[in-house]
Amino acid sequence: MVHGRRSRSFYALSILFGAFVLFLYGPMVTVILLAFQGPDGGLTFPMNGASLHWFADIFQPQSIGDIWGSFDRSIKLGMMVMLATVVVSFLTGLAYRKKFRGSSVLFYVVIASLIMPSIVVSLGIGSMFELLGIERSWWSSAFGAHLTWTLPFGLLIMFAVFNRFDPAYEEAARDLGASGWQTIRHVVLPIVAPSLIGVALFGFTLSYDEIARTSQSVGALNTLPMELQAMQTNVTTPVIYALGAYTTALSLVVIGVSLVLVLAFRWRQKRFGSDADKGMV
Amino acid sequence: MEWLRSRSAYLQAAPLSLIFLLFFVLPIAMVVVVSFFDYQAYQILIPDFVLFNYQDVFSSEVTYRTYFITFRFCLMVWAITLVLGFAIAYFLAFHIRTITMQIVLFLLCTIPFWTSIVIRMIAWIPLLGRNGLVNNALVASGFTDAPVEWLLYSEFAVVIGYVHLYTLFMIVPIFNSMMRIDRSLLEAATDAGASGWQTTWNVIVPLCKPGIAIGSIFVVAMVMGDFVTVNVLGGGQVASVGKAIAAELSYLQFPPAAANSMVLLGVVILLIMLLMRFADIRKEL
């Protein structure tokens, strides 16, 4: 099974895997293709010519939806959530390396947030702000709502990272006289940096894409996915596909940048990380 | 010194604790409280202790019908994602021989997940719609005379949407369980005369139970509470519990929505407890 000739199940499963990938990419490819519709093209195939018309049209004032306002808010919110998710997940990851009272309760609360139906969280935050008489907005109530979604992922990643983290590095730093802060800054942080980029990627994309927890917590001004969801029933032109192509491209750029950063960190670690085998300097 | 170290743990855990207290624990408590509130057209929340929100939920025939439909969604999506997720995880874990190739194929599966959920769902419209690709192909090939109407804005479309969104959440934990299986166990099974199917069924599946349970919990919880997919792909024709709550909220009927949410929460917790009986998940985390 592990070596030798490929079995029949290999070929069957290869076909299944290929079909699954086709199924995953089909809608995305369709959207991108249709974004290139000619100026007279409709929402479905066939293509009525090919043009960049809709990619430009999106920058014109639109009759429905506040695309650019909501895009702007989504990016800002995504950045805020990303930053908060990285910092808070890292700190909590550090806390869980020691024993502290309430750690298991806190852990269960975080996991509960992960599997809690999002509409319930959304409703709760909405009601809380309503009862307290505080106006809901994307940077307050929706920011909190997003964190209840991104932090469980961030924390689980940090657990996975610190489970594989050798405490000998910190002990060595402490033996050499480093303070707690110095150990974190110069030893722990550089080692876990690539994983923190992963946490950042999760934080941003989960927030940038969030609808369910945003719905009751966002207040008067929508985020992009909320605006899109509201628009999709009224839109009659391929402009929505152009928007889809743009946001897909943005997501791919974000992944690309993260990957490059991770590779850069790895390279730096290889280059400068250890002189253990180089003898006396 | 020891005291200082433990104090630093409390400080480090403080931001997370505070965020979850403010934006999770208190809001959920608020849902419990609000579910007993009264409401009127011009006042969303009237502090009170009334039971009629719950009475309405339990006495309405619509509730049972929506739960029935939602359970059916859950069961279908769970079965499809489980079989599909298991097969694909099996392919990646046991048939792909190098780690590099595993990572490449894995990334191939995850890239679509980084694009907007709404866009990914809207994308089904030109495929499954009345004049969509699938219908054009069906008519052109002579399978049907007229376009098939139930492909889009139907329960079928909703299930397709769920499978598209959630299969990866089944693949990841099952793959993770599979990679932990000691390969010598499989060799032992083969040496003892087990066929491929027997090895899969009697060795791999039992050892994958925790992964299956985690994936199942995720899929069940997501489907039970969803209203976005049902909204976009169901197109007003399809009901679900989440959508019923969302509809009440859109009419600003917070207390009945809260009562409905509490019932939903109870059902989800019961389902998760049921799934937890199959595997000890705490070991996995």
Side-chain angles (χ1 to χ4, degrees):
Chain A
M1 173 170 198
V2 181
H3 294 289
R5 267 191 29 236
R6 292 297 197 180
S7 59
R8 248 186 318 176
S9 76
F10 169 77
Y11 294 105
L13 286 174
S14 301
I15 292 167
L16 180 75
F17 184 78
F20 179 66
V21 169
L22 215 66
F23 171 67
L24 280 185
Y25 281 81
M28 208 169 99
V29 172
T30 315
V31 162
I32 292 169
L33 274 179
L34 285 172
F36 289 97
Q37 272 282 24
D40 302 319
L43 279 169
T44 53
F45 289 105
M47 297 288 284
N48 203 338
S51 74
L52 294 173
H53 177 84
W54 302 107
F55 286 99
D57 188 68
I58 201 168
F59 294 99
Q60 306 301 319
Q62 297 291 319
S63 53
I64 38 169
D66 175 18
I67 293 177
W68 292 106
S70 59
F71 174 73
D72 184 51
R73 285 187 286 277
S74 269
I75 292 282
K76 283 180 188 152
L77 180 58
M79 293 288 182
M80 283 162 61
V81 171
M82 177 181 85
L83 207 68
T85 306
V86 170
V87 173
V88 174
S89 305
F90 177 66
L91 284 176
T92 317
L94 288 177
Y96 271 91
R97 306 192 66 207
K98 303 155 215 164
K99 281 195 181 71
F100 63 96
R101 233 180 299 163
S103 61
S104 63
V105 173
L106 186 61
F107 175 71
Y108 282 120
V109 168
V110 171
I111 295 301
S113 173
L114 189 63
I115 47 184
M116 178 75 64
S118 292
I119 187 133
V120 183
V121 180
S122 196
L123 165 62
I125 293 177
S127 318
M128 186 173 80
F129 274 70
E130 189 68 38
L131 273 178
L132 294 174
I134 307 169
E135 204 177 328
R136 287 168 266 173
S137 77
W138 61 270
W139 49 264
S140 58
S141 41
F143 174 63
H146 282 202
L147 287 178
T148 65
W149 181 232
T150 59
L151 283 173
F153 287 97
L155 191 61
L156 288 177
I157 296 175
M158 286 328 291
F159 280 173
V161 170
F162 280 129
N163 272 342
R164 293 181 183 82
F165 192 93
D166 189 350
Y169 293 123
E170 286 161 291
E171 280 158 23
R174 227 172 283 129
D175 288 349
L176 290 168
S179 68
W181 167 244
Q182 282 173 324
T183 310
I184 290 174
R185 166 73 187 77
H186 295 290
V187 178
V188 180
L189 209 50
I191 294 176
V192 301
S195 314
L196 289 181
I197 293 171
V199 174
L201 181 62
F202 261 88
F204 181 82
T205 42
L206 287 175
S207 159
Y208 182 66
D209 210 15
E210 222 295 322
I211 298 180
R213 292 189 189 207
T214 320
S215 60
Q216 298 304 317
S217 61
V218 74
L221 297 168
N222 269 344
T223 57
L224 185 62
M226 292 288 296
E227 198 70 17
L228 274 175
Q229 198 207 2
M231 274 169 70
Q232 60 95 16
T233 41
N234 306 321
V235 143
T236 50
T237 64
V239 76
I240 198 157
Y241 298 140
L243 184 61
Y246 275 127
T247 59
T248 304
L250 179 77
S251 307
L252 293 182
V253 167
V254 171
I255 309 175
V257 169
S258 318
L259 273 179
V260 168
L261 280 175
V262 169
L263 290 176
F265 267 107
R266 287 264 160 81
W267 179 80
R268 200 171 158 264
Q269 274 176 5
K270 252 203 190 131
R271 184 115 199 290
F272 304 108
S274 168
D275 55 0
D277 55 347
K278 299 193 183 79
M280 297 271 281
V281 179
Chain B
M1 192 63 203
E2 199 50 43
W3 174 82
L4 198 72
R5 280 198 66 193
S6 67
R7 197 186 60 167
S8 75
Y10 289 108
L11 282 177
Q12 284 160 346
L16 183 93
S17 314
L18 201 67
I19 289 169
F20 275 89
L21 183 68
L22 274 180
F23 290 104
F24 185 68
V25 177
L26 281 180
I28 298 301
M30 210 56 89
V31 177
V32 180
V33 173
V34 164
S35 70
F36 295 106
F37 275 17
D38 197 356
Y39 65 103
Q40 274 169 0
Y42 48 87
Q43 197 179 354
I44 301 175
L45 300 168
I46 304 170
D48 203 341
F49 186 83
V50 294
L51 291 172
F52 57 68
N53 295 316
Y54 284 98
Q55 281 161 357
D56 285 350
V57 173
F58 287 111
S59 64
S60 164
E61 197 230 326
V62 178
T63 308
Y64 299 97
R65 214 167 43 217
T66 358
Y67 268 93
F68 175 73
I69 296 168
T70 312
F71 281 137
R72 205 172 52 193
F73 274 138
C74 234
L75 200 66
M76 279 196 277
V77 174
W78 177 71
I80 298 171
T81 53
L82 177 60
V83 172
L84 196 59
F86 187 88
I88 284 160
Y90 183 96
F91 176 72
L92 291 174
F94 296 117
H95 280 308
I96 302 301
R97 288 166 183 171
T98 63
I99 289 179
T100 318
M101 200 59 196
Q102 278 176 340
I103 293 173
V104 167
L105 292 183
F106 221 93
L107 282 179
L108 196 68
C109 291
T110 47
I111 284 173
F113 284 81
W114 300 108
T115 70
S116 162
I117 288 183
V118 183
I119 295 288
R120 257 185 292 156
M121 283 189 297
I122 291 172
W124 285 110
I125 295 167
L127 284 175
L128 299 178
R130 231 182 154 275
N131 302 308
L133 272 189
V134 175
N135 259 326
N136 286 349
L138 284 177
V139 173
S141 65
F143 266 113
T144 53
D145 300 329
V148 181
E149 297 284 350
W150 51 262
L151 285 179
L152 189 64
Y153 303 134
S154 60
E155 294 188 10
F156 172 79
V158 175
V159 172
I160 290 277
Y162 284 141
V163 171
H164 195 251
L165 291 176
Y166 302 141
T167 304
L168 189 72
F169 293 100
M170 206 55 119
I171 298 177
V172 172
I174 297 179
F175 176 76
N176 187 37
S177 290
M178 282 177 176
M179 293 306 280
R180 291 182 185 192
I181 296 175
D182 187 348
R183 300 299 144 122
S184 56
L185 288 175
L186 306 182
E187 276 175 40
T190 313
D191 290 348
S195 70
W197 276 113
Q198 284 174 319
T199 311
T200 305
W201 190 248
N202 295 313
V203 181
I204 297 176
V205 170
L207 289 173
C208 286
K209 265 188 185 172
I212 291 172
I214 290 176
S216 304
I217 286 175
F218 215 83
V219 169
V220 166
M222 299 290 262
V223 173
M224 283 305 294
D226 169 79
F227 64 97
V228 182
T229 308
V230 175
N231 246 349
V232 177
L233 291 174
Q237 252 84 198
V238 181
S240 83
V241 178
K243 197 184 166 185
I245 297 173
E248 282 170 335
L249 287 174
S250 68
Y251 295 119
L252 293 177
Q253 299 175 335
F254 275 50
N260 242 323
S261 296
M262 291 321 296
V263 176
L264 170 66
L265 193 56
V267 171
V268 170
I269 289 171
L270 276 177
L271 285 174
I272 289 172
M273 280 165 64
L274 202 70
L275 286 166
M276 296 266 260
R277 292 182 62 127
F278 290 105
D280 185 8
I281 292 163
R282 264 163 293 184
K283 271 195 307 206
E284 287 290 297
L285 299 168

